[in-house]
Amino acid sequence: MSLFDWLNGAENEQEPAPMVDAVDKLALYQRAWCPYCERVKMVVGELGLDITECDTTEPEHLQALMAGGGQRMVPCLRIEPEPGRYVWLYESADIIAYLRRYAGANK
């Protein structure tokens, strides 16, 4: 949930993002100049995860992000819980929480 949603009284009724069994089912859509992306990448490094990074300054990655997630906002974590089905997770705090849960579950 975004800060804007929270300020408007929205409840966080979203289902939690599904966990995956391998890091190759995750991809981080990001931009080099984005401080929120850097924050997520720092945690990825701390956790020792080898996640595919997709730079949205490259047209094919931006197009995939827009087609799949519906927004051009970064960072965005693409999760593939089953072949051909994707869940798009926005908001750096949500992505970090997901990655910490993933790392804890796959120790």
Side-chain angles (χ1 to χ4, degrees):
M1 171 179 3
S2 72
L3 177 61
F4 180 74
D5 293 333
W6 181 80
L7 289 172
N8 283 316
E11 294 295 323
N12 192 359
E13 297 177 7
Q14 269 186 311
E15 279 187 40
M19 295 306 287
V20 294
D21 58 3
V23 75
D24 66 344
K25 296 179 181 175
L26 302 174
L28 180 64
Y29 286 75
Q30 52 86 33
R31 285 185 178 234
W33 51 262
C34 169
Y36 300 104
C37 299
E38 287 303 313
R39 183 173 156 205
V40 170
K41 290 192 293 186
M42 275 185 15
V43 171
V44 167
E46 287 171 16
L47 297 173
L49 300 174
D50 187 22
I51 295 179
T52 300
E53 292 184 14
C54 302
D55 186 344
T56 59
T57 58
E58 297 176 24
E60 65 272 12
H61 294 308
L62 179 58
Q63 185 177 17
L65 177 64
M66 293 293 297
Q71 301 179 48
R72 63 175 44 227
M73 184 172 81
V74 290
C76 179
L77 184 66
R78 186 190 73 198
I79 305 164
E80 186 178 8
E82 49 192 63
R85 185 171 84 84
Y86 300 103
V87 174
W88 300 81
L89 184 60
Y90 291 92
E91 300 295 333
S92 60
D94 294 339
I95 294 169
I96 290 169
Y98 178 88
L99 293 173
R100 290 192 189 284
R101 279 196 330 271
Y102 171 83
N106 290 291
K107 280 188 175 180

